[in-house]
Amino acid sequence: MLPGLSGKSRCPGLYAASAPYIRSVPIQTTGVAGSFPTGLGSTPPHPVPLGFVFRSRAKDEKAQSAVSAQVTDSNQPRDPQAPKGRPTPKRSVAQSQRRSVANTPMTRKDAAKRQREERRTAMARQREALAKGDERYLPARDKGPVRKFARDFVDSRFNIAEYFLPMAVIILVLSMIRVASLQNVALLLWLVVIVLIVLDSIVTGFRLKKRLAERFPDERRRGAVAYALMRSLQMRRLRLPKPQVKRGERP
């Protein structure tokens, strides 16, 4: 034993050699599993946590996207009247969206049902227009200023042709009576009525054609006279569109 040293503390190496067994002392390291102790090699001075090595990249990407979305939403100005923080779409965008919805494929049954509903709506509008004279929903044969003037011209005067139906009923009743004189009168009435209707239609057509040429020199007038004559064959209360002028009133 060396001077100045006493017991185990003075010479630990000699004591460990002379002991019947060697006591192992664990070495504490600050590295990760499988790395060298501190001070050996190129081990970084700070320990690396295991969670950093085996982290999930998908969670990190989701977190980054959420943060960027929050930053973008916070920087974008919000329309106070827009719902859910979105700006009000432009009219062109809204119309394109409506067109895309309208052009969505439908089954044959749904398409037929939609066509029936549209046809029913159009017919209701036409009936209302025929009753009130609304030009927007009139049929194609009744539209236009020329046709309107022809209707007003016929409705403003007395026409013999409009009394054809009641006179035909009277003549038919007289012809069914088994009296020769009454049958002769019925035949004569047929002839007189037909002649009067033809003459009245010729005069009406000539006057209407002249008035149309004066009133609408640059408009297309084809078929307007025949349209007016066909209207004159109907009784006034049964005409469609409904008369808009009184008898004797100048159109």
Side-chain angles (χ1 to χ4, degrees), residues 139-228:
R141 65 187 182 114
D142 299 321
K143 287 185 178 180
V146 177
R147 298 299 176 95
K148 185 177 185 305
F149 182 83
R151 292 196 302 269
D152 294 342
F153 183 84
V154 172
D155 296 337
S156 63
R157 60 193 303 271
F158 288 93
N159 300 281
I160 299 176
E162 66 179 296
Y163 301 104
F164 171 76
L165 185 60
M167 287 188 296
V169 173
I170 294 174
I171 293 172
L172 182 62
V173 171
L174 292 177
S175 62
M176 293 177 64
I177 300 176
R178 297 306 182 98
V179 178
S181 59
L182 292 178
Q183 291 181 351
N184 293 332
V185 170
L187 182 61
L188 182 62
L189 285 177
W190 268 118
L191 183 60
V192 172
V193 168
I194 292 174
V195 171
L196 290 177
I197 290 175
V198 169
L199 292 177
D200 184 65
S201 299
I202 292 174
V203 174
T204 302
F206 179 77
R207 291 180 178 178
L208 178 60
K209 187 176 182 179
K210 184 178 179 180
R211 292 288 302 276
L212 287 174
E214 295 175 354
R215 190 77 173 267
F216 306 98
D218 300 330
E219 297 286 341
R220 184 181 178 182
R221 303 183 300 273
R222 183 177 180 180
V225 176
Y227 172 77

Side-chain angles (χ1 to χ4, degrees), residues 5-81:
L5 297 175
S6 63
K8 300 177 182 179
S9 62
R10 294 182 181 180
C11 188
L14 294 177
Y15 176 77
S18 61
Y21 60 90
I22 298 174
R23 185 179 180 183
S24 62
V25 179
I27 301 174
Q28 297 180 356
T29 61
T30 58
V32 296
S35 61
F36 293 96
T38 307
L40 299 178
S42 59
T43 306
H46 300 286
V48 181
L50 295 178
F52 180 78
V53 178
F54 301 100
R55 68 185 184 275
S56 176
R57 295 183 179 180
K59 293 182 180 180
D60 295 343
E61 293 177 357
K62 290 181 180 179
Q64 292 178 1
S65 62
V67 172
S68 60
Q70 290 178 0
V71 173
T72 304
D73 294 340
S74 61
N75 294 333
Q76 184 178 3
R78 179 182 179 275
D79 191 350
Q81 296 181 354

Side-chain angles (χ1 to χ4, degrees), residues 91-124:
R91 181 177 297 178
S92 59
V93 177
Q95 290 178 355
S96 63
Q97 291 178 356
R98 287 195 294 268
R99 292 194 195 99
S100 64
V101 173
N103 295 331
T104 53
M106 297 184 298
T107 61
R108 183 177 299 178
K109 185 177 181 180
D110 294 339
K113 183 178 179 180
R114 183 175 180 180
Q115 289 180 358
R116 287 195 299 270
E117 291 178 355
E118 291 178 354
R119 192 182 303 112
R120 191 180 299 110
T121 304
M123 292 298 294

